[in-house]
Amino acid sequence: MSPSLVLGIDPGTAVTGYGVVAYDGRIATLVECGVIRTTANDPLPQRLLEIHEGVEEILARHRPDTMSVEDVFYAKNVRTTIVLGHARGVILLAAQKAALTICEYPPAEIKKAITGTGAATKEQVQFMVARLLRLKSAPQPADAADGVAAALCACLTSSRPKLPELPPMRIPLSKLVK
Amino acid sequence: MSPSLVLGIDPGTAVTGYGVVAYDGRIATLVECGVIRTTANDPLPQRLLEIHEGVEEILARHRPDTMSVEDVFYAKNVRTTIVLGHARGVILLAAQKAALTICEYPPAEIKKAITGTGAATKEQVQFMVARLLRLKSAPQPADAADGVAAALCACLTSSRPKLPELPPMRIPLSKLVK
């Protein structure tokens, strides 16, 4: 089976974290991670364009087959959550335009897949992200690590059957037709 | 002054209403209106793509200079409001990509600009939309009328100075140089 390439995203209007992870069904390897930053004083449409183009750039560079996006966190501040919805919208749009498989996970599910508990602390998640990817330390900044965690979650909870690739069976006709 | 062309949008995940209105500073004229419908059973990213492409199609057809978008209505159902945020995100993205002037108005402000009161009923708004555009009846379906209302709001509250276009002054050189 050829390794799948997963782009994980932790959406945000100010900082969108991302991580690209290669996964061969057993071992996950970090390919790239980072953040897309927007300027606080820019109007929202301008920031949405920067996020959208930032994601499209990563897609063009790595051509992943899957996007894993952290689901909206129901913040107490409704306005913040709605603005976050705008950012998620342009991120999902980029994935759909590129015909990727899209996975969405609530934050607790990502934590559980990586640490075993949905109530894990940020430090616990970062520790396990580094361990699972055999890194000396967690990816920096923290938002990038959250993007990587989303990608790892899609790898670890992937329900695709991991069948070994067998050569096609060839039965001589003489054995089938007696 | 050449008339400005305003695309008004009432965003929705299921039905996005729109209206294109030409405005010369005094008279507003309806150019086109309609709705972009998405299929309820499709996944959200697919629906976002349809909304985005639908808006881009209208932009390509009419080349408006302004987009007027109804602001998010703080519905009681937070989930619905967040999903609506996704739709608004891809709509604003289309406007920003086309470098339009973007105006956003809360629903009450649109109602007030058109009927004189932010507490107007839907019927009152539709009646006034028809009257202001000199139409026999309100645009159908109701979501299209809401898109037209958003466009009209941008026309009526536009703060751009409405200076008459004067021919360039020509002073004979003889009068300047004695």
Side-chain angles (χ1 to χ4, degrees), chain A residues 8 15 26 28 43 60 63-64 80 92 96 102 104-105 116 119 122 124 126 149 169 176:
Chain A
V15 183
R26 288 186 313 118
R63 306 207 166 276
T80 309
L92 292 176
Q96 183 67 30
I102 300 170
E104 304 180 55
Y105 304 100
K122 251 192 174 334
Q124 212 177 330
Q126 293 185 358
M169 232 191 289
L176 285 174

Side-chain angles (χ1 to χ4, degrees), chain A residues 43-46 48-50 52-53 56 71-74 78-79 81-82 84-90 92-93 96-97 102 104, chain B residues 43-46 48-50 52-53 56 71-74 78-79 81-82 84-90 92-93 96-97 102 104:
Chain A
L44 181 60
Q46 172 61 30
L48 294 175
L49 180 61
E50 283 165 19
H52 181 72
E53 289 184 341
E56 284 198 324
D71 209 342
V72 167
F73 177 69
Y74 291 82
V78 179
R79 180 79 207 169
T81 318
I82 293 172
L84 186 58
H86 286 63
R88 276 191 102 247
V90 302
L92 292 176
L93 176 69
Q96 183 67 30
K97 275 167 86 175
I102 300 170
E104 304 180 55
Chain B
L44 181 60
Q46 172 61 33
L48 294 175
L49 180 61
E50 283 166 18
H52 182 72
E53 288 184 342
E56 285 199 323
D71 208 342
V72 167
F73 176 69
Y74 291 82
V78 179
R79 181 77 208 168
T81 317
I82 293 172
L84 186 58
H86 286 63
R88 276 190 101 247
V90 302
L92 292 176
L93 177 69
Q96 184 67 30
K97 277 168 83 174
I102 300 172
E104 304 180 53

